[in-house]
Amino acid sequence: MLDFKKVLLFFGVFLLIFGFLNFIVPYAGLDKLYHKQFIKINNYLYKDYKGTADVRFETKKIKTNKYNHPFKRFNDRVLVKILSKKQIEMATQKALRARPKQTQINVNHAEFEVDTWQYGWIPLMLLVSLILATPVPIPRRLFALFLGFLAITGYTLFRFWVRFVVDINRHGWLELGTQGPFMKKTFVYMNTFFLYMGISLVITVFIWLIVTVRKGDHLRFLKGSDEGRVTGGE
């Protein structure tokens, strides 16, 4: 029979860890570190996209924050700019021909934003909290943290790639899109699906189940089972 005390203990520990992470991550500056690495990694991956696009990732400058928080500044937005190398070259040649009257070039670009706190940290903190609160042996939890981090990072990168492909194909004037009507529509639907925060949380829960839970672990939540202890044996 289900032991509700053990279930409540699990949820209680989960909430405590999740609340603690919401405090310690920004307090220790880990949110800003993640933000910088997100920009660095994606600048490396997308900067010379297929040799036709010049893609730039940078922190969006925010004059005022809508939200007040005792230990976190909500300035986690990354601005993604997409430019056509062909259009840059054409604008450069035009400026050279117009010298000395024209000393700078103007090239239109497409852009969109990503919030790294919502995009990356919330799912990651949820996953870490679920794993640490699960009453399984500590070595299993540590290994689950490793696998879970790889899985949630892979999901985040894939979700961003879908968003990027949608935006680069959305703006026809950039002349960078290569997708046909079917693939274009498919990626739009995928992007819409991934934009919902609830979907990311559900996928995070599935990752937790896959990397942490094994057959028979449900017995730890039954009455009379000593396996419900956080540091229980194999």
Side-chain angles (χ1 to χ4, degrees), residues 135-180:
V136 296
I138 291 177
R140 272 180 58 186
R141 277 181 279 175
L142 294 176
F143 188 58
L145 284 172
F146 172 72
L147 293 180
F149 177 78
L150 294 180
I152 202 70
T153 300
Y155 165 69
T156 300
L157 292 174
F158 175 75
R159 183 162 62 123
F160 176 79
W161 173 71
V162 172
R163 171 72 186 276
F164 178 82
V165 171
V166 167
D167 269 85
I168 207 168
N169 283 274
R170 175 180 294 161
H171 306 284
W173 55 269
L174 278 173
E175 300 178 335
L176 296 173
T178 58
Q179 288 183 327

Side-chain angles (χ1 to χ4, degrees), residues 196-221:
Y196 289 105
M197 190 65 190
I199 297 299
S200 292
L201 300 184
V202 170
I203 290 177
T204 302
V205 171
F206 273 114
I207 292 175
W208 162 63
L209 291 173
I210 292 171
V211 302
T212 310
V213 179
R214 296 180 184 174
K215 184 179 179 180
D217 279 342
H218 67 284
L219 298 175
R220 300 173 186 273
F221 293 97

Side-chain angles (χ1 to χ4, degrees), residues 26-163:
Y27 182 79
L30 296 177
D31 55 336
K32 298 300 177 281
L33 177 62
Y34 186 99
H35 180 86
K36 291 179 181 178
Q37 290 303 312
F38 184 90
I39 292 176
K40 182 179 180 180
I41 291 172
N42 283 297
N43 266 325
Y44 173 78
L45 293 174
Y46 293 96
K47 181 175 178 57
D48 186 28
Y49 186 73
K50 292 187 176 181
T52 59
D54 183 351
V55 185
R56 305 168 187 178
F57 292 75
E58 58 189 49
T59 300
K60 182 178 181 180
K61 296 179 181 179
I62 302 176
K63 294 181 180 179
T64 58
N65 291 321
K66 294 182 180 179
Y67 308 101
N68 293 320
H69 202 288
F71 48 81
K72 173 162 178 61
R73 295 180 60 194
F74 287 93
N75 53 351
D76 305 283
R77 289 193 171 276
V78 174
L79 185 63
V80 185
K81 296 181 179 180
I82 306 173
L83 299 91
S84 167
K85 286 190 173 183
K86 180 180 178 181
Q87 293 176 8
I88 293 174
E89 178 64 23
M90 291 173 62
T92 301
Q93 293 300 325
K94 183 179 178 180
L96 290 174
R97 289 193 297 269
R99 292 178 65 184
K101 294 181 180 180
Q102 186 175 344
T103 58
Q104 62 182 14
I105 64 172
N106 294 311
V107 181
N108 289 331
H109 67 273
E111 65 181 42
F112 64 95
E113 299 175 12
V114 176
D115 188 312
T116 54
W117 177 256
Q118 294 183 0
Y119 214 76
W121 263 116
I122 291 181
L124 181 58
M125 291 188 299
L126 175 65
L127 180 64
V128 170
S129 301
L130 285 169
I131 292 174
L132 293 181
T134 305
V136 296
I138 291 177
R140 272 180 58 186
R141 277 181 279 175
L142 294 176
F143 188 58
L145 284 172
F146 172 72
L147 293 180
F149 177 78
L150 294 180
I152 202 70
T153 300
Y155 165 69
T156 300
L157 292 174
F158 175 75
R159 183 162 62 123
F160 176 79
W161 173 71
V162 172
R163 171 72 186 276

